[in-house]
Each structure stands twice: as structure tokens, then as C-alpha cells.
Amino acid sequence: MNPADTRARSGAQLLVDSLLVHGADMAFGVPGESYLAVLDALHDVEDRFRFVICRQEGGAANMADAYGKLTGRPGLCFVTRGPGATNASLGIHTAHQDSTPVILFIGQVGSDVVEREAFQEMDYRRMFGQMAKWVAQIDRADRVPEYVSHAYHTAVSGRPGPVVLALPEDMQTDMATVPDTGRYQRVAANPGGSDMRKLREMLSQAERPMVILGGGGWSRDACEDLRAFVTAYNLPVGCAYRCQDLIDNRDPHYVGDVAVGLNPKLAERFKTCDLLLVVGARLGEWTTVNYTLFDIPRLKQKFVHVHPGAEELGRVYQGDLLINSGMPEFAVAARALEPIKPRWDAWTKGARADLEAWQRPVEVPGKVNMSVVMEFLRGRLPRDAIITNGAGNFSLWAHRFYHYGPFRTQLAPTSGAMGYGVPAAVAAKLVHPDRTVIAFSGDGDFLMTGQELATAAQYDLKILFVVVNNGMYGTIRMHQEREFPGRVSGTQLKNPDFAALARAYGLHGEIVETTADFETAFERAQFAKTAALIEVRIDPEAINPRTTLSAIRAEALKSKPPPS
Ligand SMILES: Cc1ncc(C[n+]2csc(CCOP(=O)(O)OP(=O)(O)O)c2C)c(N)n1
Ligand SMILES: [Mg+2]
């Protein structure tokens, strides 16, 4: 365990010791015969290291992603070769798009049979090439500490992201006498003094500045520093898609999320601002509303882009000031900037007033109004409650009407991967047993990873699962009605009784069919001794907060009559 350690250890023991050196305390996985020696080495450290047994590798990898987001340390995932690795790829893609530090360990066929297409053999370098920051195979036990150390450095440094390490079976049992490495250090760029002076200068010339926060690599302190900066400069701050917890939503500087379903008034402010400061966000398809919000390649407004990955700067949008910096490093420097007298107090106040109007509950068809449910939850949940979700229109209600609290009260995939909410909630409750954790899922979304209810039950995790059931893959149906009105195809769902399903897992389960019933069901769930699931049956017409399914169809039929 220390640099002077010169005992002979197996590759598997070296791996587990290396994880401990780097401060790991937990991993998520599904076992496989391809890494029995690692499982055995984990047996020796059960008092210090928890191996969370999952039901599907997609769930395990999503849990590792959520762990990485919550702690800033790499989330660890162990899976078997071929089928295990392919299942886990879902979470690696999410970690890539979300810039989350994750390390995936895959049991690999032995070197005696490699390249014969042996049982479940795959070349992970080719498979994960585009999804991971680094993919490697550790062929020699004596180099395990080096590979693991490099994996840690790579996962957390620069633009954070996932790393994949394959572990050939024979390497795991080979013996080697090598010392451990020291603990990893995160490496990040700092903004230059001239960058910060130029930023201040540009702000001093601005009249209608706007800020977008987003991306990975943030920390609680970085968010606090950034908040001090935007407070001193009285800047209006939008958060990129699913990064809404980078500033407490009750802060008067928060003006809304910049994503699908963007508040038209906020969109207008972005279009007419004269200085755009983007910190950490990639300015991807959703944050720019399909690349329509800003001109490509040069914006009309002055543009400052701060990003931890140098390769991202200038990629689509050319900037007036491009700053390669880690988020904490930039936030500290921004906080230290000498304030100016802002000339845009009314602009910031107006943007905030637009948000407050936008977040008032709306009328919807049917007996359950999800905007009112969210209003109820924002009054009822502690500020540090963690809200998770996967993909589907059901998530729009939380994104628009819930007031996310401080850093890491939101866990949601910017990759738009369905099935993230349930496993992310499991990881969140394991990392923060004292915090309230609620997973929002759609009926389609839930069944992608719903088997991880068994993991919640196994580890006795009191999570609240809310399944918003509209009997369809609603998002796709919405697009279908827009593009091919009246021609429903491939989107209808016949669902199980979700509440009964939860009870089958030993959890508390209820069905809710009115807004008022949600409130009482929520109170009962609070008192349940186990995790609870509330299935909320909503009217399929209530497709999103802005319109109804029939209205979308009627509108589309005007320009696209059905084929005769
Ligand atoms: C893993 C994955 N598969 C497919 C999709 C495409 N997709 C996006 S939303 C959606 C439907 C979601 O349905 P549901 O969870 O019931 O939510 P709703 O839109 O009905 O509220 C689908 C199929 C996706 N984003 N991710
Ligand atoms: Mg649905």
C-alpha cells in the first residue's frame, strides 16, 4: 500500500491496492468469470471498499457516472467482456458527453487466446475509441499501478471524461513485485492574467451581457466563486441543458435553462445581448437550440468562451476571447476581478422577472398537472434534495418548474440517454445517505433500467421513484405528430402496473391520478420504511408545458395533409 511496498502481489491485488491509493471507496458492477481474481482481491478490502452489485451493466455504468458527477472523483465500474462491456457502453457515452470522470474496468480474455475471437472477446480500443479519453489493456501485472495512475489523471484532468481499462485474465493472477504510485493530482489550465484583464475590459464596455454556465469539472467551491463574481457584476446567468444546479435557482441572477423548450423571452435576450460569456458549456446542439441561437462561425455579439478542453475552443463558434481553463481555476480568478459599476441592472432584473413568470404553473389537460406537482415539490423538498432523470418529455416539467438547489442537486444526462434516472438515484443515495433523492422517469424511460429497483432494495436505499406514465414514448410521438401527423407508429406502450412492480421488489408503491393525490401519496412515501414508487398517470394530451398533442397534430395537418 505504500511506495516502499515490495511484497509480491497479483495483478488483481495491485489493481485493488492502486484504487485504494487513489482514494476510491466504491465501485459499481456486475460480476463475470473474466475478473474473478479482482472480485477475490476486493474480498480482502470489504471493510474499506464497497462493491455495489447491480442488475445490468448499463445501470452500473450510469451509477459510476453519477458517482463521478457527485464527488468529482472517477466513478468506477467493473464489467465482464463482450456482453458486459457492450451493456456498459451506454454509461461511457453519457460520461463522454457530460465530461464526467469514470473508469470502466473490463475483464478480458487471457493472452494465450487473444485475437482468436475467443469467447466474448472484443478489442475495446476499437469499440470505445470515440467514447473514451483513453482506452488501454494492461498486459503486464508489474505495470498495473502505472496504468491505474494514468487512468485517474486522464479521467479528471483537462476536460474530464471516461477511461476504459481491459484486464486480461492471466494478467490478473500474474505476480509482480512493484511499489504503488502516489495519489493522483488533477491537472487543469489556469486563465492568464491578460485573459482576465481583457474579460474585465470587455465587461466594462458591455451594456447587455449574458452568461451561460455548463459542462463538467465544476465543484461546490467553483460554483460559489462563480456566484460571487456574477453577484459583484450583477450578471444574468442561464444554465446549459441539464446543468441547472451550477447556480442555486433561487439566486436573483439565475434566469433559466438554455435548452429545448427555451423560454422565448430568454431566447430573445440571448439573441440581442451584446456580450456572451460562456463558462464550461460546449455550446452544443441543445444549448444553442439546434445551432440557431447564435450566428456561426462569428456571433453578432462579443463572445468569450471559457472551456477546460483547448480543442473545444473555436470549434463551431469563433470567439473574441477564448480561455482554456479549469472551472475552479477560472471561478477563483473571476471572483478576484475588481468589480466595475454594472450598467445593466434593469436588464438583469428583467431577465429574472421573465423567468419567474415562466415558472408559474400552466393549465394542462387532465387531472394531474405536473407543473403544480413541481410547485408543490419546490415548497416541500429540502434545498439539497437531489433530483435525477433520464430522457423524455416528462423531464421538461422538472427542468422548467422545479427550483434546483446548489451544486449537485441535479443529475441528468446531457446525452439524452433514457434510463439514467433510476441508477443515478441509487448512486446518489449511496454517496449521500442523508439527502432526499427523487428519480423522475417516464414510462418508457423507467423500464430501460428499472431493474435497478432491486439494487435500491438490496442496499436499503430510501429513494422516491416517480414514474410519469402517459402510455407512450411521448417525445417520439410528439415529433411524429409534427412530421407525420395522425400516423401513430412504433410509439404506443402497454405498461405494467408500476406500483405493483415496486411492491414485487419489496418497495412501497402507489398510483396517483390527480394532483391532490400526488401530495398525499408523497407524504405517505416519506413515512415508508423502504424506497417508494409513485406512478403518476397523466393525460397523454399533456405532452409538454406549452401545448397539447392534438394541437401539434392539428397544426401539422395544415401543412402536411395525410396521404389519400
Ligand atoms: C436509450 C435511448 N433510446 C431511445 C431514445 C429516443 N427517445 C428519446 S425520448 C423517448 C421516449 C421517452 O418516453 P417516456 O420515457 O415514456 O417519456 P415521455 O416522452 O413519454 O414523457 C425515446 C424513445 C433515447 N433518447 N435514449
Ligand atoms: Mg411516456
Side-chain angles (χ1 to χ4, degrees):
M1 277 284 303
N2 60 60
D5 199 335
T6 47
R7 285 173 301 138
R9 288 175 285 176
S10 68
Q13 286 169 328
L14 282 162
L15 174 70
V16 170
D17 285 350
S18 298
L19 298 180
L20 295 176
V21 162
H22 295 297
D25 57 359
M26 197 183 294
F28 306 88
V30 175
E33 70 274 30
S34 58
Y35 70 96
L36 289 173
V38 174
L39 289 170
D40 188 67
L42 287 171
H43 186 65
D44 288 333
V45 297
E46 270 173 350
D47 56 329
R48 277 163 289 163
F49 190 95
R50 193 169 203 182
F51 181 80
V52 179
I53 307 161
C54 307
R55 299 308 177 112
Q56 212 263 21
E57 292 84 352
N62 278 333
M63 289 181 206
D65 175 273
Y67 179 100
K69 282 197 178 86
L70 286 163
T71 63
R73 302 193 304 268
L76 306 178
C77 183
F78 281 91
V79 300
T80 198
R81 49 206 177 190
T86 42
N87 272 346
S89 62
L90 169 80
I92 298 306
H93 177 251
T94 294
H96 164 60
Q97 291 228 292
D98 278 358
S99 306
T100 313
V102 163
I103 306 176
L104 174 68
F105 294 97
I106 307 171
Q108 171 65 305
V109 300
S111 55
D112 50 338
V113 297
V114 74
E115 289 294 345
R116 289 181 180 169
E117 196 190 323
F119 184 59
Q120 302 176 337
E121 181 184 353
M122 287 191 75
D123 177 347
Y124 301 106
R125 294 185 188 91
R126 280 191 284 156
M127 177 185 163
F128 286 102
Q130 206 193 337
M131 269 185 264
K133 282 184 82 175
W134 181 48
V135 189
Q137 182 161 307
I138 316 182
D139 287 322
R140 294 169 55 110
D142 61 355
R143 293 188 61 193
V144 167
E146 173 194 331
Y147 272 74
V148 175
S149 172
H150 185 47
Y152 265 85
H153 282 91
T154 305
V156 299
S157 297
R159 176 183 171 188
V163 167
V164 178
L165 288 179
L167 311 169
E169 241 178 277
D170 48 342
M171 182 283 293
Q172 297 172 38
T173 48
D174 284 350
M175 301 299 287
T177 305
V178 281
D180 290 319
T181 63
R183 196 166 174 159
Y184 74 100
Q185 301 169 42
R186 174 181 161 273
V187 183
N190 276 269
S194 59
D195 293 331
M196 297 312 289
R197 276 192 297 279
K198 181 152 184 211
L199 171 62
R200 185 171 180 278
E201 167 76 19
M202 288 170 76
L203 280 164
S204 69
Q205 284 160 12
E207 287 178 8
R208 298 177 310 282
M210 294 294 290
V211 179
I212 300 179
L213 306 181
W218 289 88
S219 64
R220 184 169 277 261
D221 286 350
C223 290
E224 273 313 307
D225 286 338
L226 211 285
R227 185 170 166 171
F229 161 66
V230 301
T231 304
Y233 279 75
N234 198 19
L235 292 164
V237 177
C239 288
Y241 182 53
R242 295 185 166 169
C243 295
Q244 284 166 265
D245 59 352
L246 294 179
I247 181 164
D248 190 313
N249 293 182
R250 293 199 183 156
D251 188 293
H253 300 92
Y254 176 68
V255 297
D257 68 319
V258 194
V260 255
L262 177 64
N263 180 354
K265 291 202 166 155
L266 184 56
E268 199 46 38
R269 285 187 191 271
F270 278 112
K271 286 183 178 156
T272 57
C273 71
D274 64 350
L275 172 66
L276 177 69
L277 168 61
V278 175
V279 186
R282 232 168 37 76
L283 280 194
E285 187 171 351
W286 282 28
T287 299
T288 58
V289 193
N290 304 332
Y291 301 105
T292 61
L293 217 46
F294 309 110
D295 290 352
I296 295 175
R298 283 211 77 90
L299 290 76
K300 283 199 287 282
Q301 41 283 86
K302 293 263 181 248
F303 175 43
V304 183
H305 197 182
V306 186
H307 199 274
E311 66 287 349
E312 195 56 37
L313 294 163
R315 181 174 180 166
V316 182
Y317 300 94
Q318 296 180 347
D320 299 282
L321 176 60
L322 302 178
I323 303 179
N324 180 208
S325 173
M327 294 302 100
E329 290 75 10
F330 175 78
V332 156
R335 182 178 196 151
L337 274 186
E338 197 187 319
I340 53 174
K341 174 97 192 76
R343 284 179 287 172
W344 46 79
D345 289 355
W347 168 255
T348 302
K349 218 170 156 188
R352 177 69 189 181
D354 291 345
L355 171 72
E356 286 169 8
W358 179 246
Q359 289 192 315
R360 274 183 218 121
V362 290
E363 295 282 321
V364 302
K367 291 193 227 131
V368 177
N369 184 334
M370 285 304 294
S371 66
V372 177
V373 167
M374 289 301 160
E375 189 186 38
F376 164 75
L377 287 175
R378 68 196 196 204
R380 192 63 187 69
L381 294 178
R383 287 310 287 150
D384 67 351
I386 299 173
I387 310 290
T388 73
N389 62 261
N393 270 27
F394 69 88
S395 63
L396 296 175
W397 304 100
H399 295 346
R400 174 160 160 190
F401 297 102
Y402 186 67
H403 295 166
Y404 290 92
F407 184 59
R408 287 315 175 219
T409 50
Q410 179 181 37
L411 292 173
T414 60
S415 65
M418 291 169 73
Y420 184 80
V422 171
V426 168
K429 197 66 186 173
L430 283 163
V431 174
H432 293 296
D434 300 333
R435 285 166 65 177
T436 301
V437 179
I438 303 191
F440 278 97
S441 309
D443 45 332
D445 176 73
F446 179 81
L447 281 180
M448 290 249 168
T449 50
Q451 73 283 343
E452 303 303 339
L453 284 194
T455 314
Q458 180 158 346
Y459 292 94
D460 222 353
L461 305 174
K462 266 201 71 188
I463 296 163
L464 174 60
F465 299 97
V466 178
V467 180
V468 184
N469 182 1
N470 56 3
M472 59 181 175
Y473 286 128
T475 313
I476 311 305
R477 171 74 182 277
M478 174 185 74
H479 291 302
Q480 199 160 57
E481 292 290 0
R482 252 186 218 136
E483 304 296 329
F484 302 96
R487 292 172 60 81
V488 181
S489 172
T491 50
Q492 315 91 317
L493 293 174
K494 184 173 177 195
N495 283 314
D497 176 335
F498 289 104
L501 188 63
R503 289 195 289 274
Y505 282 106
L507 310 180
H508 175 84
E510 294 201 36
I511 294 171
V512 155
E513 294 187 270
T514 66
T515 308
D517 283 354
F518 181 87
E519 299 179 9
T520 47
F522 176 84
E523 302 304 344
R524 279 191 295 276
Q526 295 295 96
F527 288 105
K529 293 208 162 50
T530 61
L533 184 150
I534 302 178
E535 174 188 340
V536 186
R537 293 196 177 153
I538 66 163
D539 189 326
E541 277 294 315
I543 192 67
N544 69 36
R546 291 210 239 186
T547 184
T548 64
L549 207 49
S550 321
I552 292 174
R553 178 187 291 198
E555 185 59 31
L557 279 172
K558 284 187 205 158
S559 54
K560 297 177 184 168
S564 47

